Amino acid sequence: MAKSVLYNPNIGFEHQKWKEEIIFWKRELKSLNIRLSELISRWENKEVLVQIGNYQRQIILYEDIIEDLLESIEQQETRNSTKFNLGLFRGDSQLLKIHIELRSRMEVQRDLFSDLKKSFFRFIDKYL
């Protein structure tokens, strides 16, 4: 991986975009739950209900993961702001390391969420 050069305004911009993305994910998860509720009312087949339960658990887990991610981003923003206001931000390799780790977590969650939605919509197409 190439070494990233990061400056505080760019980090703040990236944090803002991540938070917007997480808010979007939360809305999508609510929508997926609504679709599952529609399925529950239509099906009594135990296999289908088990699959619905699996998706409900995945959604709950994903909600927890993205909430934790959002909290991590907000904590990092607070640390960055404090360091920046004290003139200590530039060259703080620990803050930059944490930012790069957060970026990696966001990338992983994007992939996982995409996979969840693909699987979910295949399931919905089959049973709704």
Side-chain angles (χ1 to χ4, degrees):
M1 177 169 94
K3 188 172 183 176
S4 298
V5 177
L6 302 170
Y7 300 98
N8 193 54
N10 294 342
I11 290 174
F13 177 77
E14 194 166 18
H15 286 176
Q16 185 60 37
K17 292 297 153 194
W18 292 343
K19 291 190 309 186
E20 290 170 6
E21 191 170 4
I22 288 170
I23 289 167
F24 178 74
W25 290 343
K26 286 180 176 187
R27 284 193 306 258
E28 284 196 307
L29 289 171
K30 284 181 184 178
S31 175
L32 297 181
N33 262 327
I34 290 169
R35 301 297 289 197
L36 287 175
S37 295
E38 293 172 12
L39 274 177
I40 289 171
S41 67
R42 293 180 182 195
W43 288 89
E44 293 181 9
N45 179 301
K46 286 187 182 193
E47 276 186 40
V48 174
L49 294 175
V50 166
Q51 290 178 339
I52 290 170
N54 288 338
Y55 279 109
Q56 288 172 324
R57 283 187 290 283
Q58 287 180 42
I59 288 169
I60 291 167
L61 177 63
Y62 201 85
E63 288 170 337
D64 290 343
I65 289 169
I66 63 174
E67 195 60 43
D68 180 60
L69 187 52
L70 180 60
E71 185 177 316
S72 295
I73 292 166
E74 290 172 347
Q75 289 172 352
Q76 183 63 9
E77 285 180 317
T78 300
R79 285 190 292 269
N80 288 354
S81 177
T82 301
K83 291 270 187 163
F84 188 74
N85 290 337
L86 295 173
L88 303 173
F89 185 80
R90 190 175 264 315
D92 190 325
S93 62
Q94 183 62 25
L95 289 179
L96 295 178
K97 179 182 174 195
I98 293 169
H99 180 77
I100 291 168
E101 289 170 0
L102 283 172
R103 182 185 294 150
S104 177
R105 287 175 61 194
M106 281 297 295
E107 290 168 356
V108 166
Q109 292 313 311
R110 274 186 205 109
D111 291 342
L112 292 174
F113 192 58
S114 176
D115 291 345
L116 172 66
K117 287 192 322 183
K118 286 176 192 173
S119 170
F120 180 86
F121 287 116
R122 282 191 297 269
F123 175 72
I124 289 293
D125 286 345
K126 187 174 181 180
Y127 294 108
L128 193 59

